Amino acid sequence: MQELLEKLASLREYLDIPGKTRRLNELDRELSDPALWNNTGRARQVTQEAGTLRRVVDGYRGLQSDADGLAEMLEIASDEERELLAEEQQSIQTRVDDLYRETLFTMKHAETPAIVRVKSGAGGTESQDWAGMLTRMYMRWAERHGYKVELVDQQDGEQAGVLGAEFIIRGEKAFGMMAPEHGVHRLVRVSPFDANNRRHTSFASVDVVPEVPEEEINIHIPDSDLRRDVFRSQGAGGQGVNTTDSAVRLTHLPTGIAVASQQTRSQIKNHEIALQILKQRLYDIEMRRREEEEAKARGEQKKIEWGSQIRSYVLDKQYVKDHRTGVMKHNPDEVLDGDLDDLMWAGLEWLAGKRAVEEGGDDE
């Protein structure tokens, strides 16, 4: 119980409960001013901030009260009574762990939907199949958590898998949970496409950006900076095939970034979707550039190398290893079926600077 109380005290400091309480009091005073409601934008901003702070402060206070009460009961309880209180202690421990996990969402826009792009690397059918496996893995993970997935674009491989896929995951802290997945993923396996049963190594990149509210982006893209191509949407056959050139691909000429949408049968709507995602990606690039400049100005060494290889999936040796955290899983089939939570939470700890690399296990 003492360890649990110490963890709560540490969380109080990390969450800055006194500072959040002071800020909440300020916001409550502003909310009680009738003049605030003449400015709907400010009123919405204050209401949202106050609601977020209130959940954290009230949640912590309730947890602290319950933990203190349990500690007092345990001091005077008999052995038999302690056994009866074990379930209550486990419940409080679970709530403390949940609160700790809330502290891991240090990235901006953690609450927003995640725009995910999976792209196959060099290697033809092998890497295309791998990109398809990763796409399915994330969709299965989203399905397990009750998230909604919107497939924006998918370019099928010639024999198997995909050249690339872009989709949006919508749900609680979707971007926050998906943020650690950004990077290069490596697959090692005996290839099902090799008649000689040789081992192959394939790569695919996963790009994750938040779906930032449109009013926050404020990016104007001149028409002269865009190339617009239309093409026929891919379909599964039958009545689902689109017989008109309604899919749209927009290429931002200064950066070379291309975004396509074949989500709807409307060329105009697909253009709007592709343009919005393009703005999101340009906004994300600009935000990262500013963060790097600020870090350099402060003399900090940036720990997150977004383009680096982050994880290996070695199927013939039955393990998955995250190279940032050292976490290994020996159930690759289940991982590829969406069992990603342990890897994601460890990745979030690493992103938050709360986890050093763990040594151990095979590595290729």
Side-chain angles (χ1 to χ4, degrees):
M1 188 65 197
Q2 184 59 37
E3 183 180 345
L4 190 152
L5 292 173
E6 289 174 359
K7 194 169 185 178
L8 258 179
S10 175
L11 281 173
R12 183 178 189 275
E13 180 180 350
Y14 186 84
L15 291 169
D16 187 20
I17 295 300
K20 282 183 169 59
T21 301
R22 288 193 296 272
R23 177 59 178 162
L24 182 58
N25 290 335
E26 293 173 1
L27 293 171
D28 281 341
R29 284 194 292 273
E30 190 171 356
L31 285 168
S32 65
D33 182 358
L36 172 68
W37 305 99
N38 295 328
N39 184 337
T40 55
R42 176 60 183 167
R44 181 171 61 252
Q45 181 182 359
V46 172
T47 301
Q48 290 175 346
E49 184 181 355
T52 299
L53 290 174
R54 203 180 312 281
R55 281 193 299 274
V56 175
V57 171
D58 290 351
Y60 180 86
R61 285 174 175 170
L63 187 51
Q64 182 71 67
S65 175
D66 291 347
D68 289 341
L70 178 61
E72 292 175 2
M73 293 174 67
L74 287 171
E75 285 183 4
I76 59 174
S78 64
D79 290 344
E80 184 178 346
E81 289 170 332
R82 282 176 175 271
E83 290 182 12
L84 294 174
L85 291 171
E87 186 175 338
E88 176 66 17
Q89 184 170 344
Q90 182 57 50
S91 174
I92 292 176
Q93 179 67 60
T94 299
R95 289 164 61 194
V96 171
D97 291 342
D98 289 343
L99 185 60
Y100 167 73
R101 285 181 167 181
E102 286 293 318
T103 70
L104 302 180
F105 294 100
T106 55
M107 69 291 294
K108 196 174 181 182
H109 304 301
E111 298 278 355
T112 67
I115 302 173
V116 184
R117 172 186 287 172
V118 180
K119 186 177 180 181
S120 63
T125 301
E126 283 291 335
S127 63
Q128 291 165 23
D129 188 47
W130 176 222
M133 292 165 67
L134 284 174
T135 299
R136 179 186 180 278
M137 180 180 78
Y138 291 122
M139 289 185 174
R140 288 286 292 124
W141 172 82
E143 180 184 314
R144 285 173 175 231
H145 289 271
Y147 290 169
K148 180 182 178 183
V149 178
E150 297 175 7
L151 183 62
V152 177
D153 180 47
Q154 180 171 305
Q155 303 167 47
D156 292 338
E158 293 182 8
Q159 296 183 47
V162 299
L163 286 163
E166 185 141 19
F167 50 96
I168 302 173
I169 299 177
R170 301 187 185 278
E172 184 178 2
K173 292 186 174 66
F175 173 67
M177 290 299 297
M178 282 295 300
E181 299 302 302
H182 187 121
V184 176
H185 295 243
R186 182 179 70 150
L187 173 70
V188 181
R189 66 173 175 176
V190 176
S191 171
F193 305 102
D194 189 326
N196 296 316
N197 292 322
R198 289 173 295 190
R199 269 177 124 224
H200 285 249
T201 299
S202 308
F203 295 89
S205 64
V206 177
D207 184 57
V208 185
V209 301
E211 187 182 62
V212 180
E214 190 171 354
E215 60 269 18
E216 189 175 329
I217 294 179
N218 194 27
I219 288 179
H220 172 67
I221 304 176
D223 290 340
S224 58
D225 284 354
L226 286 177
R227 185 178 74 236
R228 183 176 185 271
D229 300 303
V230 296
F231 57 99
R232 187 160 298 179
S233 297
Q234 295 183 6
Q239 295 181 348
V241 172
N242 196 335
T243 57
T244 61
D245 292 339
S246 62
V248 175
R249 179 180 294 107
L250 297 179
T251 303
H252 185 242
L253 298 176
T255 62
I257 296 174
V259 175
S261 173
Q262 49 182 308
Q263 190 173 353
T264 77
R265 291 176 178 269
S266 165
Q267 190 179 114
I268 295 174
K269 185 63 177 175
N270 282 331
H271 177 94
E272 293 174 356
I273 293 170
L275 183 60
Q276 185 59 30
I277 292 178
L278 177 59
K279 287 182 178 180
Q280 301 278 355
R281 295 199 174 281
L282 293 175
Y283 176 86
D284 186 65
I285 290 172
E286 177 62 18
M287 290 301 101
R288 289 186 188 177
R289 183 189 66 78
R290 291 183 187 179
E291 288 175 7
E292 288 175 359
E293 289 181 353
E294 290 171 3
K296 287 178 183 177
R298 293 192 297 265
E300 296 176 0
Q301 199 71 22
K302 198 166 177 60
K303 290 198 298 185
I304 304 169
E305 298 176 359
W306 290 105
S308 62
Q309 178 180 303
I310 66 167
R311 191 179 299 148
S312 290
Y313 306 70
V314 186
L315 302 193
D316 57 331
K317 293 188 177 180
Q318 287 293 294
Y319 75 84
V320 176
K321 180 171 182 177
D322 193 291
H323 301 292
R324 303 158 301 173
T325 65
V327 170
M328 292 186 71
K329 304 285 287 183
H330 295 279
N331 57 340
D333 289 343
E334 292 178 24
V335 170
L336 290 171
D337 195 42
D339 185 9
L340 289 168
D341 284 3
D342 290 346
L343 292 161
M344 285 179 163
W345 285 117
L348 282 165
E349 284 187 312
W350 181 81
L351 287 176
K354 295 186 176 185
R355 188 185 193 103
V357 173
E358 299 175 358
E359 300 296 336
D362 294 334
D363 193 10
E364 297 194 11

